[in-house]
Amino acid sequence: MSFFQQHSTKTSRKHVQDPALQPWVEKYRPKTIDDVSAQEHTVAVLRRTLTSTNLPHMLFYGPPGTGKTSTILALARQLFGPENFRSRVLELNASDERGISIVREKIKNFARQTPRAAQPHVTEDGISYPCPPYKIIILDEADSMTQDAQAALRRIMETYARITRFCLVCNYVTRIIEPLASRCSKFRFKPLDSSSTSLRLHQISSLENIPISTSVIETLINVSQGDLRRSITYLQSASRLSHSTNPPTEITSRDIQEIAGIVPDDVINDFATVLGVDIVVGSGMQTDSKGRAPGFDGVRSKVRELVREGYSASQILSQLHDLIIEHPTLAAHRKAQCALSFAEADKALCDGADEELWILEAALQVYKALA
Amino acid sequence: MSLWVDLHRPRSLDDLHYHQDLSARLRALASSDDFPHMLFYGPSGAGKKTRIACTLKELFGKGAERIKIDQRVFLTPSKRKLDVNIVQSNFHIEITPSEVGNYDRVVIQEILKEIAQTQQVDVSARHRFKVVVINEADTLTRDAQAALRRTMEKYMSNMRIILCANSTSKLIAPIKSRCLLIRVAAPTETEMKLVLDFVAKRQGFGIDPEAAQEIVQDSGGNLRKAILVFEALKMQSPSLTGPLSIAKPDWETYCHKVADMIIQEQSPERVMQVRAKLYELLSHCIPPTIILKTIADRVVDKVDESLKADIMHWAAIYEVRMRVGNKKIFHLEAWVIKVMSLYKHFCFDIDMDAFD
C-alpha cells in the first residue's frame, strides 16, 4: 500500500508546476462551487445536484471572466473527486480540433462508454464525493463550434443521456443552435458587481502579500468591467512589474492603465479639445478652447500623432465616446450625431478597415457635429 | 554586405536607443522567473521585432541568436497540404501564421501543442519554457485566436507566447486579457536623429543636422524607412551636402500623378485614364488601401477646406467597402468618381454665386 502511495505522489509531483509561477487565475480558481463569486442563483441550483445525484444537460453562458469554466470544473471535481475525475470528465475547448469528425468519433466514443461503477466514497481528508453514475463532457467555448458539429451532437445528447451529461460553455448563447439549446437547462452568468470583484482582489492581494491601495483596486474594477479574470491578470502583471525592480515599487493606477492598454486621460482630453469639446477640469476651471479652430489640417495632424503613439483605434474611439456621451454641457442632439459616427467607425473597424482613416473619419464627423 | 538597417540593428537591450524605461522593464521581467505572455504593439518601424529579439537574447543568452529556418508541412482536416516556414532556435520558435490564410488555426494548434507537450531538454538552459513568437498577430483569424485562448493558460509551465501586432483592435478580448501589453510607440524626431547620428558614426562619417531633419520628416515616424532612405541618399551623393532630393518610391509619385489628374479635369474620359493608372498600380502589387490613402492625402492638400472632410469621409467609406467586397478596382473607381463629382459641384456652385 505504501509503495503505491509513494508512487502516486511521485508521478503527480512531476506534473505539478511551481505554484509561484502559475498564473493567478489558475492558482485561485475556485476549488468548490461555494467559492464561486457572485453567481448565487446558479450556485444554489447546482448545490442541490450534489446531493440528489441528478444533473440535467447544462448550457452556461455569459460574458468572459464570470466563472463559467470555473464553476463546471469545480462541480465536476466535487462530484467525482480527484481520482475519478480523469475517467469521468472529458474537457474539450477551442484549442482542440472540434470538427464534425471529432464529434462523431471522440465525443461519441466517450459518451457511449458505461462508467465504471464507483461508490460514493470519503477520502482520508474527510471530503465526501457522491460519484453519481454518469460522465460529464465539457465543451468549452462551444460558440466556436461549427453548425454542423453542433448538429451532430443533437442525437448523441439524447441517446446517451442516461450515462452522459453535457455541459456547454459559451459567451454568446445565440451562436448555439436552437435544438441544442432547448435540450439544456440554461444558466446565465452575470458580470461581477464591483463589491465582489474588490473582495476577491483583496483576498488575493493579501494571500500574495502585495500591498495595494483602494484607488488601484478601483482602477482595476473600472478597467475590467466585470471580468474577474482580466482584473486578476492585470493585478498579477502589475505586481510582476513592481517586483522586478529592486526595491519593489508600489503599484499605481497608471501602471494598471498602461498594462490594460488604456489611453491616458490627458491624451484623450487633448484630442477632444482639438475636436472642439470643452474639457471641464475639476470645478469651474474651463480651458478656453473657444476661438481657435484647428481646421482639417489640425485634426489630421493630431490623428497622425495618435497613430504614431501606437494606441489602438478601438480603444481611442471607445474612450472618446465615453467622454463625449458623459459630457455635462453638450447639447443632446450633438451627442447623438457623435454617437452615430462612432457606431459607423466601430462597424468599419470590425470589418477590418484601415485604422488611421477611420479615426480621422470619426474625428472629422465629431468636429463637424460640434462646430 | 548587409543593409544598414540590419547591420546596425541593436542586438541587446542595452544597445537600444530609445524607450529606456521599456527596456528596463523588459530586462527586469526577463531576469525574474516569472515571465508572462506578452503582446507587443505599435506602428510599423517603431522597433517591435528588434525589442522582441533583444528580449529573447536577454532571456536565453547567445543561444537565441543561433537560428535555423525550417520548412514544415501541415495537413488540414480536408487533407490539404500547407507549407509553412518556421524560424527556430533551441529556445524559441517564430511563425507567421498569416502566410497560410484561412488555415492558420491548424498551424497554431499543431505548433503550440507540439511545443507545449515537450519539455526543454537542454539542461543548461536558463529557463524551462520555450518561447513562441507569433508575427502579425492581428491578421490571425478568429478561430486561430480562439485556439490560443485556453492553450495559453494550460501550458504556461512549458511555453510563453510573444505576439507582435500593429494594433490591438483586431485581437479578441480574451487574448488581450491574458497578455502583458507592451506598447512600442514610434520614436520622436529627436530620438530618430540620434539614431541616424549613431548610424553615421558607425559608418565613419558625420551627418549634417539639416539632412537628418529632412530624412526624419519624410519618414513619418518609421525608423526603418528613415535608415533605408539615409543609406540610399548616401549612395547617391556620398558627400550628403547641397540640396537633398529624397527620392520618393515610384508608386508614390505615380499616385500623386493620379491625384493631380483628378483635380485637373472631371470627365468620363479622365475617369478612363485614371482607371488605366489604377490598374497599373494594382498590377504592381501596391495594396489598394495604400493607393487610396496616398491619393486621398494628395487630393486633400489641393482642394478647398470645406471639401476636405467630405473627401476623407468617402475615402473611409470606400476603403471599408473594398475590404468587405471582392473587386478592389470597383471601389477605387467609385471613390475617384465621387471625388470628381464633389469637386465639380463645388466649383460649379461658386461660379453660380459669382454670376448672381
Side-chain angles (χ1 to χ4, degrees), chain B residues 109-329:
Chain B
Q109 280 175 350
E110 296 254 330
I111 294 231
L112 290 196
K113 288 251 153 107
E114 184 190 301
I115 300 277
Q117 283 161 5
T118 52
Q119 296 224 335
Q120 176 66 265
V121 280
D122 191 350
V123 194
S124 59
R126 257 186 249 174
H127 293 275
R128 282 192 45 222
F129 54 81
K130 275 191 172 187
V131 175
V132 180
V133 180
I134 301 179
N135 290 324
E136 295 173 35
D138 44 357
T139 53
L140 285 176
T141 56
R142 271 177 180 264
D143 278 348
Q145 294 187 34
L148 273 180
R149 282 170 66 165
R150 188 83 180 108
T151 330
M152 286 172 87
E153 284 178 352
K154 227 170 164 179
Y155 301 115
M156 188 82 182
S157 56
N158 286 349
M159 173 182 69
R160 296 292 187 280
I161 294 178
I162 296 183
L163 299 163
C164 176
N166 274 337
S167 147
T168 58
S169 293
K170 280 164 214 154
L171 288 168
I172 57 175
I175 301 268
K176 280 188 267 184
S177 74
R178 281 174 177 85
C179 292
L180 179 59
L181 299 190
I182 299 214
R183 183 170 59 86
V184 185
T188 61
E189 295 200 348
T190 24
E191 283 164 346
M192 288 178 78
K193 270 186 229 160
L194 277 179
V195 175
L196 286 183
D197 247 359
F198 169 80
V199 171
K201 257 192 212 115
R202 286 266 290 257
Q203 285 292 327
F205 61 91
I207 179 172
D208 192 38
E210 271 174 44
Q213 174 70 25
E214 221 169 307
I215 294 172
V216 165
Q217 276 190 342
D218 182 69
S219 65
N222 188 336
L223 189 57
R224 177 176 37 221
K225 191 174 166 192
I227 298 179
L228 284 171
V229 166
F230 181 35
E231 186 173 2
L233 278 180
K234 180 75 185 166
M235 293 291 161
Q236 272 172 16
S237 61
S239 59
L240 266 184
T241 48
L244 283 175
S245 62
I246 295 176
K248 288 214 161 48
D250 284 345
W251 61 268
E252 211 173 318
T253 33
Y254 211 76
C255 282
H256 286 176
K257 229 183 268 169
V258 175
D260 295 342
M261 282 168 71
I262 294 174
I263 293 175
Q264 273 161 16
E265 191 190 324
Q266 297 83 34
S267 64
E269 295 79 50
R270 194 34 78 89
V271 175
M272 289 305 288
Q273 289 164 5
V274 168
R275 175 202 179 104
K277 292 230 182 278
L278 289 179
Y279 260 124
E280 183 77 19
L281 280 168
L282 283 176
S283 64
H284 281 86
C285 291
I286 310 291
T289 303
I290 306 269
I291 300 179
L292 183 64
K293 269 171 85 174
T294 323
I295 300 182
D297 268 348
R298 178 75 170 192
V299 170
V300 156
D301 280 339
K302 300 211 159 177
V303 297
D304 190 83
E305 177 76 26
S306 57
L307 267 180
K308 290 180 176 180
D310 274 341
I311 289 177
M312 272 326 209
H313 170 74
W314 289 108
I317 298 272
Y318 281 111
E319 201 269 335
V320 70
R321 289 204 188 152
M322 205 154 65
R323 301 256 178 172
V324 180
N326 195 13
K327 279 290 236 184
K328 313 290 181 204
I329 186 77

Side-chain angles (χ1 to χ4, degrees), chain A residues 189-312:
Chain A
F189 282 68
K190 51 185 190 301
L192 270 74
D193 51 306
S194 49
S195 62
S196 34
T197 313
S198 90
L199 192 72
R200 197 79 187 161
L201 290 175
H202 272 300
Q203 261 175 18
I204 292 179
S205 66
S206 62
L207 281 172
E208 289 286 335
N209 276 328
I210 11 168
I212 48 172
S213 59
T214 353
S215 71
V216 171
I217 295 239
E218 241 165 63
T219 323
L220 275 171
I221 292 170
N222 276 338
V223 164
S224 60
Q225 295 170 338
D227 183 341
L228 186 60
R229 177 177 43 221
R230 226 159 104 187
S231 43
I232 294 177
T233 321
Y234 289 156
L235 180 62
Q236 188 176 16
S237 307
S239 88
R240 269 188 195 125
L241 287 182
S242 77
H243 277 279
S244 59
T245 53
N246 205 7
T249 45
E250 207 181 328
I251 302 171
T252 62
S253 310
R254 185 72 205 88
D255 287 343
I256 304 281
Q257 285 190 337
E258 180 67 31
I259 290 166
I262 299 232
V263 186
D265 284 341
D266 43 335
V267 175
I268 286 290
N269 286 350
D270 205 27
F271 186 38
T273 324
V274 171
L275 298 184
V277 184
D278 290 326
I279 304 297
V280 186
V281 185
S283 54
M285 220 183 77
Q286 209 148 1
T287 49
D288 50 347
S289 63
K290 285 269 189 278
R292 74 192 179 97
F296 175 82
D297 291 317
V299 175
R300 185 164 69 164
S301 65
K302 189 75 202 168
V303 168
R304 286 223 170 119
E305 195 180 304
L306 276 177
V307 172
R308 266 181 69 160
E309 281 297 307
Y311 296 113
S312 91

